[in-house]
Amino acid sequence: MAEQTIIPPRPAYFPTSASSPLHPPSTLYARIASSPRTLVQTLNIPPRSGLAFRVPATCIFRLSTPFGPQVGDLNIWNAHDPRERFWAARTRQLQGSHLRESDRLWSCLPFMRPLCGVIRDGCSLGDKAVKQGDRLERGERTRWGGRCHDLLGTRCDPYVNQMLTSTSYDYHCHSNLVRAIIPYGLTEFDVHDVLNVFQVTGLDPDGRYFMEASPANPDSYIEFFAEQDLLCALSTCPGGDLSAWGWGMADELTDSIEGQKKMKETCNPIKVEVWNIAEEERTDVLRGWELPKRPEYRGMHGMAVPKGESQGDVQGLA
């Protein structure tokens, strides 16, 4: 009997034409990443805290860890309409479980367009990376299959903490993001699933979510190109670099076990910088770029809406 060739399933979301928006804008993003720029704003987000900041379209924003390893939870909205916000699940489908250079961060329905994209990733797994015989398209993995810049998980929050430990703690990423966006007229209901920057995660053989210690160091960073006017909020996770992670945030005033670090000792600030592309270079650097448009779907989901009594019964609504 002839041996059958086993063909693995191909990715469900894959470019099917030369004009597909799923082709990574690698050439454009490389040009932007290497372009001359001027600094507009600098923020240092303290440990176990959160801040919001605006990034105009065509600007670059950079997150870095000059003070030591630290994971961060990033939320993004359209600065003019917060109903348009980052959609982690769809980005995970369109790009991958963890972001890499030239991936874009997509917005929710009915907007469905890029909010920003990764132009440069300066956070390598270093000696945590395993050597692979065949080079993987989506880059480095740890021996356990972990990758960096996580889209698998979501933010830690005080509700699940209360459920699991019967203790209250006010500085989970969800709460940090809530406090960060209140000055911008948003509320807890606007906080959404995040991109976990500098965070290494994966799924074990049973499909369960795991986290590893962050590989970030004082030279690590990730840079994004704003495809729209953005409002961003970033939380410095109370888990720090995740090397001592657990659900004991509220109990850290007690003495630690000898030889074991407390999570608080693994926490550091994250630096945020916003940059403009140099004015004299903008036309050349941004050639071919256009402000992303919403899909042209106007099908009304199969519904017909009567204009008034004179229109009579409408199919499906009578």
Side-chain angles (χ1 to χ4, degrees), residues 3-315:
E3 190 174 311
Q4 289 186 329
T5 302
I6 299 175
I7 303 175
R10 67 179 297 177
Y13 292 86
F14 210 72
T16 55
S17 69
S19 60
S20 171
L22 297 183
H23 287 296
S26 305
T27 302
L28 170 65
Y29 279 7
R31 207 163 55 233
I32 293 169
S34 61
S35 65
R37 57 178 81 170
T38 56
L39 184 64
V40 175
Q41 184 181 23
T42 300
L43 299 168
N44 285 320
I45 303 179
R48 297 184 164 188
S49 186
L51 287 174
F53 53 97
R54 295 187 184 275
V55 184
T58 73
C59 282
I60 297 162
F61 65 102
R62 174 185 174 112
L63 311 179
S64 60
T65 55
F67 308 98
Q70 171 68 44
V71 304
D73 288 44
L74 180 65
N75 264 188
I76 304 173
W77 298 262
N78 178 317
H80 308 292
D81 184 357
R83 292 176 299 179
E84 182 174 9
R85 62 193 194 183
F86 172 53
W87 190 4
R90 181 63 84 202
T91 300
R92 188 165 61 242
Q93 288 180 313
L94 296 179
Q95 308 288 189
S97 63
H98 300 75
L99 290 190
R100 62 164 191 165
E101 289 182 4
S102 295
D103 283 344
R104 285 170 285 191
L105 285 71
W106 297 78
S107 66
C108 61
L109 300 179
F111 307 96
M112 197 63 262
R113 56 183 172 173
L115 288 164
C116 61
V118 180
I119 59 171
R120 194 150 54 181
D121 178 12
C123 185
S124 169
L125 291 179
D127 59 10
K128 292 176 181 285
V130 295
K131 294 189 174 171
Q132 294 148 13
D134 297 324
R135 184 180 175 278
L136 294 175
E137 180 184 343
R138 295 201 60 84
E140 299 177 319
R141 292 186 302 172
T142 70
R143 62 179 296 192
W144 309 112
R147 298 175 185 272
C148 199
H149 307 311
D150 162 61
L151 282 174
L152 290 172
T154 187
R155 61 217 182 268
C156 56
D157 69 79
Y159 305 102
V160 72
N161 183 79
Q162 184 79 34
M163 179 184 75
L164 295 177
T165 70
S166 300
T167 58
S168 290
Y169 181 72
D170 296 327
Y171 304 99
H172 284 290
C173 288
H174 180 83
S175 299
N176 294 344
L177 293 169
V178 170
R179 294 193 311 277
I181 62 176
I182 284 175
Y184 293 85
L186 304 185
T187 73
E188 179 176 5
F189 294 99
D190 294 296
V191 176
H192 50 280
D193 276 351
V194 297
L195 167 63
N196 292 302
V197 293
F198 309 120
Q199 183 167 327
V200 175
T201 67
L203 300 176
D204 73 8
D206 288 317
R208 294 170 300 198
Y209 182 72
F210 68 81
M211 303 183 295
E212 300 183 57
S214 173
N217 60 54
D219 296 321
S220 297
Y221 64 89
I222 183 170
E223 289 186 342
F224 303 85
F225 171 66
E227 301 259 10
Q228 302 185 49
D229 291 339
L230 304 177
L231 173 65
C232 303
L234 182 69
S235 166
T236 45
C237 182
D241 66 6
L242 303 184
S243 63
W245 185 86
W247 286 108
M249 293 88 166
D251 301 323
E252 287 194 315
L253 294 177
T254 61
D255 292 335
S256 61
I257 300 173
E258 187 175 351
Q260 291 186 9
K261 285 191 298 186
K262 289 185 177 182
M263 275 183 291
K264 198 166 188 178
E265 297 169 0
T266 73
C267 293
N268 288 294
I270 290 180
K271 185 177 182 179
V272 178
E273 296 165 282
V274 180
W275 305 77
N276 268 330
I277 297 171
E279 190 62 38
E280 64 274 14
E281 302 285 344
R282 287 177 58 82
T283 300
D284 182 57
V285 170
L286 295 177
R287 67 182 182 275
W289 177 81
E290 294 180 350
L291 191 70
K293 297 176 182 176
R294 293 173 55 172
E296 295 183 355
Y297 174 73
R298 296 292 183 271
M300 297 295 293
H301 308 293
M303 296 182 288
V305 181
K307 295 182 179 177
E309 184 178 0
S310 63
Q311 299 298 307
D313 292 336
V314 176
Q315 184 178 2

